[in-house]
Amino acid sequence: MKVKNWLIFISSLVVLGVLSVGLHTYNTYKIAHAPEQITIGSMGSDYEVWQHIAKSKEAKKLNLKITVKQINDGVQLNNATAEHNVNVNAFQSYSYLKSYNHENPKHKLINLGTTYLEPMGIYSDKYQTIKAIPTGATIAIADNPANTSRGLLLLQDAGLIKLKAGFDSLGNTDDVVANPRNLKFKKIDDTTGPRILNSVDAALISNTIALEGNLNVLKDSLYHEKINQSTRQNINILATAADISNQDKKDYQKLVTLYHEPAIQKYIKDMYDGTKIEVKKPASYLK
């Protein structure tokens, strides 16, 4: 009887051991295959896009679990990213990131990949063409470094002004070297662009703001950006803190792949009437 009890005891230990090993293996498998939890910070229409992406079948297929956080201020959103309060942000152009890094050298961000170009446009309630803008006209331009330089480049591309050689994303109105129509520049909070059209001759408005003001850059602007070498730094990107690990960087770059999935692109095109123009380029293209 004692021998039988002993055998039962030994058998029980073996069974428990097998179960333990099996449970450990199962838990290890679960951890290894658990969805990547990534918090994305965004604003405006980009916030809406990433809310859709977070719930999409494509995110699930790539094993990504996404939380989207809204922060309606670009500097605050970049600060939150640099401080790891959000993992990745989706709202800014490459030139905006460069400007932020210039102002915040101890909290730099890096580009994970390109997403789209949202063309900036020249809008007017008073004139129907660029040629009709008169001498001495007042042009509203964003009072932030990235969009100031972007707007000036657009005015140059439209043939209204000429900028000094080497003009870059940190340039401003002091860098205008030829202004044949004697245009006057009025600095504005760029979020007010659609609302002040009736008080200026023309305004430079980014597409996110234009959409919020029920303007379609492809249909309503007098002139707008195209995808070319002069606008490459205005392409929007996904950004993260510069001090992340290589593994985190690889994990976050999955978001770039996710963004360019055909089903996601169809949703964006339909939702925003083609005004978010997909750009699938290597990071080196922006430099």
Side-chain angles (χ1 to χ4, degrees), residues 105-119:
K106 294 182 179 179
H107 298 92
K108 288 189 175 183
L109 303 178
I110 57 172
N111 165 32
L112 289 168
T114 62
T115 51
Y116 63 86
L117 175 70
E118 241 182 340

Side-chain angles (χ1 to χ4, degrees), residues 19-116:
L19 288 173
S20 177
V21 170
L23 185 61
H24 175 74
T25 302
Y26 173 71
N27 285 336
T28 301
Y29 176 86
K30 279 185 69 179
I31 292 168
H33 293 79
E36 300 292 348
Q37 176 67 59
I38 300 175
T39 299
I40 296 179
S42 196
M43 67 172 79
S45 59
D46 285 318
Y47 175 72
E48 295 169 3
V49 167
W50 281 97
Q51 280 189 308
H52 172 81
I53 293 174
K55 300 171 186 175
S56 69
K57 294 178 181 178
E58 288 69 29
K60 190 173 182 180
K61 286 178 184 176
L62 287 174
N63 207 32
L64 292 169
K65 187 176 181 181
I66 300 168
T67 300
V68 188
K69 186 175 183 179
Q70 188 172 31
I71 300 176
N72 288 315
D73 179 273
V75 174
Q76 288 181 21
L77 183 43
N78 272 344
N79 287 343
T81 308
E83 294 164 3
H84 304 279
N85 293 321
V86 299
N87 301 124
V88 174
N89 69 47
F91 80 98
Q92 67 190 314
S93 66
Y94 184 66
S95 62
Y96 191 100
L97 178 139
K98 285 179 65 180
S99 177
Y100 174 83
N101 282 348
H102 179 76
E103 297 294 328
N104 300 273
K106 294 182 179 179
H107 298 92
K108 288 189 175 183
L109 303 178
I110 57 172
N111 165 32
L112 289 168
T114 62
T115 51
Y116 63 86

Side-chain angles (χ1 to χ4, degrees), residues 13-287:
L13 288 178
V14 170
V15 170
L16 287 171
V18 170
L19 288 173
S20 177
V21 170
L23 185 61
H24 175 74
T25 302
Y26 173 71
N27 285 336
T28 301
Y29 176 86
K30 279 185 69 179
I31 292 168
H33 293 79
E36 300 292 348
Q37 176 67 59
I38 300 175
T39 299
I40 296 179
S42 196
M43 67 172 79
S45 59
D46 285 318
Y47 175 72
E48 295 169 3
V49 167
W50 281 97
Q51 280 189 308
H52 172 81
I53 293 174
K55 300 171 186 175
S56 69
K57 294 178 181 178
E58 288 69 29
K60 190 173 182 180
K61 286 178 184 176
L62 287 174
N63 207 32
L64 292 169
K65 187 176 181 181
I66 300 168
T67 300
V68 188
K69 186 175 183 179
Q70 188 172 31
I71 300 176
N72 288 315
D73 179 273
V75 174
Q76 288 181 21
L77 183 43
N78 272 344
N79 287 343
T81 308
E83 294 164 3
H84 304 279
N85 293 321
V86 299
N87 301 124
V88 174
N89 69 47
F91 80 98
Q92 67 190 314
S93 66
Y94 184 66
S95 62
Y96 191 100
L97 178 139
K98 285 179 65 180
S99 177
Y100 174 83
N101 282 348
H102 179 76
E103 297 294 328
N104 300 273
K106 294 182 179 179
H107 298 92
K108 288 189 175 183
L109 303 178
I110 57 172
N111 165 32
L112 289 168
T114 62
T115 51
Y116 63 86
L117 175 70
E118 241 182 340
M120 177 179 279
I122 303 172
Y123 296 83
S124 176
D125 278 352
K126 298 179 180 179
Y127 307 102
Q128 300 300 311
T129 66
I130 288 294
K131 287 183 179 180
I133 295 175
T135 298
T138 298
I139 311 295
I141 189 167
D143 190 16
N144 69 64
N147 282 335
T148 296
S149 60
R150 182 174 180 175
L152 290 169
L153 284 167
L154 181 57
L155 291 173
Q156 176 174 256
D157 198 53
L160 292 171
I161 61 172
K162 185 178 179 181
L163 301 167
K164 73 176 185 181
F167 183 88
D168 61 19
S169 61
L170 301 177
N172 56 50
T173 53
D174 292 336
D175 299 318
V176 176
V177 295
N179 185 2
R181 299 194 203 186
N182 194 29
L183 301 176
K184 298 177 176 60
F185 301 107
K186 180 179 180 179
K187 295 287 186 74
I188 62 166
D189 177 339
D190 55 353
T191 63
T192 66
R195 299 197 298 274
I196 56 89
L197 277 174
N198 60 355
S199 63
V200 294
D201 294 294
L204 295 151
I205 306 174
S206 65
N207 190 54
T208 297
I209 305 304
L211 284 171
E212 292 171 358
N214 297 313
L215 296 170
N216 182 310
V217 65
L218 305 180
K219 301 173 183 177
D220 299 321
S221 68
L222 306 185
Y223 192 86
H224 62 79
E225 293 173 331
K226 312 294 191 297
I227 298 175
N228 54 41
Q229 285 296 302
S230 69
T231 62
R232 68 188 186 280
Q233 293 199 355
N234 299 331
I235 291 168
N236 275 47
I237 60 170
L238 298 183
T240 190
D243 60 351
I244 61 168
S245 68
N246 287 332
Q247 183 57 53
D248 281 342
K249 184 177 179 182
K250 289 178 182 177
D251 290 341
Y252 299 162
Q253 281 174 330
K254 293 177 185 177
L255 296 168
V256 180
T257 300
L258 176 59
Y259 180 85
H260 291 291
E261 287 288 330
I264 299 298
Q265 284 305 305
K266 183 180 185 308
Y267 164 82
I268 294 170
K269 184 177 181 180
D270 292 346
M271 187 71 178
Y272 299 101
D273 205 11
T275 62
K276 291 179 182 286
I277 303 169
E278 182 184 13
V279 179
K280 194 176 181 180
K281 297 282 189 182
S284 58
Y285 175 77
L286 302 181
K287 298 180 179 179

